[in-house]
Amino acid sequence: MARKFDAGYYISEGFHSIFTHGFMSFAAVCMIVACLLIMGSFSLLAVNLDHMLGDLEAENEFLAYIEEDYTEEQARALQSKIEAVPNVSQVTFVTRQEALDDFLEGRESNDLLDSLPAEVLRDRYRIHVEDIERLKETSEAVRQVTGVANVRAAVEIAQGFVLVRNIATGVALVLIAILAVVSLFIIANTIKLATFYRREEIAIMKMCGATNAFIQWPFVVEGMILGLTGALVAFFAQWGLYQLVGKLIIQGNGLSLVTMISYRSMVRNILATFCGTGALIGVGGSLLAIRKFLQV
């Protein structure tokens, strides 16, 4: 009964087995969809938080104020020392007059500020960092530079982004692991039903000399089809959900600082990840169910 690899036969048998146990097949697909949706949602949250952290690194800055008794020349001389601090990517010197001009911008109608001298402000540096997760230690290191009187850094905001991103990543990993196990279990039971339904046929094939591979491949194909079907359903459901959340964020007045990466720009990576994960879960569940044939 030995037979060469016949993809058409295996695919035909795989589809036939799926419809034979329609309810269990439907349950298996639903579990894969749930697993991938949760995985995708938390992963996309982590990706967007990383993106926002990147924007924060590129746009956000902390300020280093120079001692009041330093002349402009002395203050400018500190730039090389500040640039030497680890994690500092860019340093911009701001004179007292430039700081005053920035302060007065938009306040031209306030007569009380007309005679405000530049000397009331300090020379300062605008400092960008490479890794915003190290903002606190970087600002503290700059504070230790002789001539720097004080620093002002939005450490809490940066730490908040990092914390939310790390929590989202951790929760996603835990939920993915749990749902993957449940999905494997359901697919394994679906395949077990198929093997039980065809137990007499399988016994006859083995008596006639059929190889384990010939018997197992239809079930592996069945699991792969279930996995890929769940992956495609989850992919389009994730797309719709992502677009809905994006619209809600745009409409939300209090969420103007939140930006989202376009789903279309990630579509290939998401589709590949979903299909790969779905196929892996499907094939894994099938191999788990038919492991007894591997031992013969």
Side-chain angles (χ1 to χ4, degrees):
M1 191 73 185
R3 181 174 181 172
K4 66 179 181 179
F5 185 86
D6 187 345
Y9 169 77
Y10 296 139
I11 293 174
S12 174
E13 288 295 305
F15 272 108
H16 174 73
S17 184
I18 286 174
F19 290 106
T20 300
H21 306 284
F23 178 77
M24 286 299 295
S25 298
F26 177 75
V29 170
C30 287
M31 279 307 304
I32 293 173
V33 171
C35 177
L36 291 177
L37 273 178
I38 293 175
M39 176 193 76
S41 297
F42 279 94
S43 297
L44 287 172
L45 175 60
V47 167
N48 277 282
L49 287 172
D50 263 333
H51 176 69
M52 284 187 281
L53 276 173
D55 289 343
L56 199 59
E57 289 174 0
E59 300 176 8
N60 192 56
E61 61 192 15
F62 74 91
L63 298 176
Y65 298 98
I66 309 305
E67 296 285 358
E68 289 185 9
D69 56 353
Y70 270 48
T71 64
E72 182 176 331
E73 291 73 18
Q74 289 175 312
R76 287 183 180 276
L78 298 177
Q79 181 162 343
S80 59
K81 295 181 180 180
I82 295 175
E83 289 175 338
V85 173
N87 196 42
V88 170
S89 62
Q90 183 180 348
V91 176
T92 304
F93 180 70
V94 181
T95 65
R96 298 172 191 257
Q97 186 59 52
E98 289 171 339
L100 178 62
D101 292 341
D102 289 341
F103 176 75
L104 293 177
E105 187 175 354
R107 299 183 175 91
E108 291 81 1
S109 59
N110 192 332
D111 297 334
L112 297 176
L113 302 177
D114 288 344
S115 58
L116 188 68
E119 287 72 21
V120 302
L121 301 178
R122 300 171 184 261
D123 291 322
R124 63 199 63 187
Y125 283 95
R126 293 195 180 104
I127 303 171
H128 292 265
V129 297
E130 296 176 357
D131 183 0
I132 203 165
E133 293 186 44
R134 299 169 54 195
L135 177 61
K136 184 176 181 179
E137 66 177 80
T138 304
S139 62
E140 289 297 329
V142 171
R143 190 196 301 269
Q144 301 304 317
V145 174
T146 303
V148 174
N150 196 10
V151 297
R152 189 180 71 188
V155 176
E156 293 78 9
I157 296 177
Q159 290 178 337
F161 273 107
V162 173
L163 178 62
V164 173
R165 182 198 61 186
N166 292 342
I167 290 175
T169 302
V171 171
L173 291 175
V174 172
L175 291 176
I176 289 168
I178 294 173
L179 290 173
V181 170
V182 175
S183 299
L184 284 171
F185 177 76
I186 291 181
I187 288 179
N189 283 332
T190 302
I191 302 301
K192 283 180 181 179
L193 279 179
T195 59
F196 181 79
Y197 176 78
R198 299 177 59 187
R199 63 190 184 280
E200 294 183 359
E201 178 186 344
I202 292 172
I204 293 173
M205 286 192 295
K206 290 187 72 65
M207 291 175 60
C208 294
T211 63
N212 285 338
F214 179 77
I215 297 172
Q216 296 156 11
W217 266 109
F219 301 114
V220 172
V221 171
E222 178 183 352
M224 182 177 292
I225 292 173
L226 291 173
L228 290 176
T229 301
L232 291 175
V233 173
F235 171 76
F236 288 106
Q238 184 75 77
W239 197 335
L241 181 63
Y242 192 83
Q243 296 293 92
L244 176 62
V245 172
K247 289 180 180 179
L248 292 176
I249 288 177
I250 292 174
Q251 295 171 359
N253 295 326
L255 299 175
S256 58
L257 296 178
V258 178
T259 58
M260 291 180 64
I261 305 174
S262 167
Y263 194 89
R264 291 183 181 275
S265 67
M266 304 180 288
V267 67
R268 290 184 179 179
N269 291 334
I270 295 173
L271 181 59
T273 301
F274 275 30
C275 287
T277 304
L280 183 62
I281 292 175
V283 172
S286 300
L287 292 175
L288 185 65
I290 61 177
R291 66 185 183 279
K292 61 180 180 180
F293 295 116
L294 298 176
Q295 299 170 357
V296 177

